[in-house]
Amino acid sequence: RRYRDETRKEVFSMAADAYLRLGDGYFITKDYEMSIEYYDKAVSLLPDSLTKEGYALSDVDYAQFQKGLAKGVLGDTKAKLDILQALLANHEESSYTDDAKFEMAESYSILENPDSAVHWYKDIASQHPNSSYVKKSLLNMGLEQYNRSQNEEALATFKEVIATYPA
C-alpha cells in the first residue's frame, strides 16, 4: 500500500509537471487563456492532502502565481488580485510570496488604489528585507506618497532609498 501511495504521488507530480511546462509554453507564446487552462490542470492534480505534506507545494504556488500574471495580462486585474491573495493565504511559506506581494502592489497602483499599493510596498520592505523588490517597492511607495501630496512621507521614503542603496 505504501508503495502504491508513493507511486501515485510520483505519477501525479510528473503529470502536474507536464501541465506546468505546457502552461509555461503557452504563456511564453502569449496564449494566456491556454496557459491558465494548463496551470489549473496542474493544480487539480495536486490535491490539498499532498500539498499540505509539502509535496509539490512549489508547483502549486508557481501555477497560481503564473495564472495570476496571465489574468493580469488579459486585463482581469480583479481576478489577478484574488488569485495572488489566495496564494498568500494558502501558501504562507511560498517562495513566490514577495513576487505576489509586489504584483499586488503594482496592480493596486494601476487601479489607482494608492492606499493598498502602499500597504503592499511597505509589507515587502518590512517583511522581505532581502528581496530584490525592496528598492523598487520603496521607490514606488515614495511616488505614491508624492502623488497623494504626502510630501514629508515621500521625502523620508526617498531618503531611505538613497541611504540604503547609494549607487
Side-chain angles (χ1 to χ4, degrees):
R1 178 172 165 100
R2 182 174 170 216
Y3 174 77
R4 186 179 66 203
D5 289 344
E6 290 301 315
T7 302
R8 179 178 171 260
K9 286 180 184 180
E10 286 181 34
V11 169
F12 278 121
S13 181
M14 289 177 7
D17 184 60
Y19 283 137
L20 286 173
R21 291 172 190 265
L22 284 166
D24 288 344
Y26 283 114
F27 191 95
I28 288 170
T29 61
K30 299 182 180 170
D31 189 343
Y32 301 110
E33 294 289 347
M34 287 299 291
S35 72
I36 290 168
E37 183 177 325
Y38 281 98
Y39 292 137
D40 282 340
K41 286 181 180 186
V43 171
S44 73
L45 288 178
L46 299 165
D48 285 342
S49 61
L50 295 179
T51 58
K52 284 180 182 164
E53 295 172 17
Y55 189 81
L57 172 61
S58 63
D59 292 342
V60 173
D61 59 355
Y62 173 78
Q64 288 180 326
F65 180 72
Q66 290 296 107
K67 179 181 174 182
L69 292 181
K71 287 287 190 179
V73 171
L74 290 171
D76 192 350
T77 307
K78 177 164 180 1
K80 174 184 178 180
L81 288 167
D82 290 344
I83 291 164
L84 295 177
Q85 188 66 51
L87 185 156
L88 294 173
N90 297 326
H91 305 289
E92 295 172 4
E93 301 300 317
S94 171
S95 61
Y96 296 97
T97 300
D98 60 336
D99 303 276
K101 289 177 179 181
F102 187 78
E103 286 294 327
M104 289 180 67
E106 294 287 283
S107 295
Y108 281 120
S109 184
I110 290 167
L111 292 174
E112 298 181 8
N113 184 339
D115 290 335
S116 294
V118 167
H119 165 79
W120 289 108
Y121 289 135
K122 278 184 183 178
D123 186 278
I124 292 166
S126 66
Q127 299 298 314
H128 308 278
N130 298 321
S131 171
S132 62
Y133 294 110
V134 173
K135 181 178 178 181
K136 192 168 185 178
S137 293
L138 291 171
L139 284 170
N140 290 350
M141 183 171 69
L143 289 172
E144 291 286 354
Q145 292 164 330
Y146 176 77
N147 290 336
R148 291 175 20 203
S149 298
Q150 296 174 338
N151 296 332
E152 293 301 317
E153 292 91 339
L155 183 60
T157 301
F158 291 137
K159 283 182 178 181
E160 181 181 352
V161 172
I162 292 168
T164 309
Y165 306 99

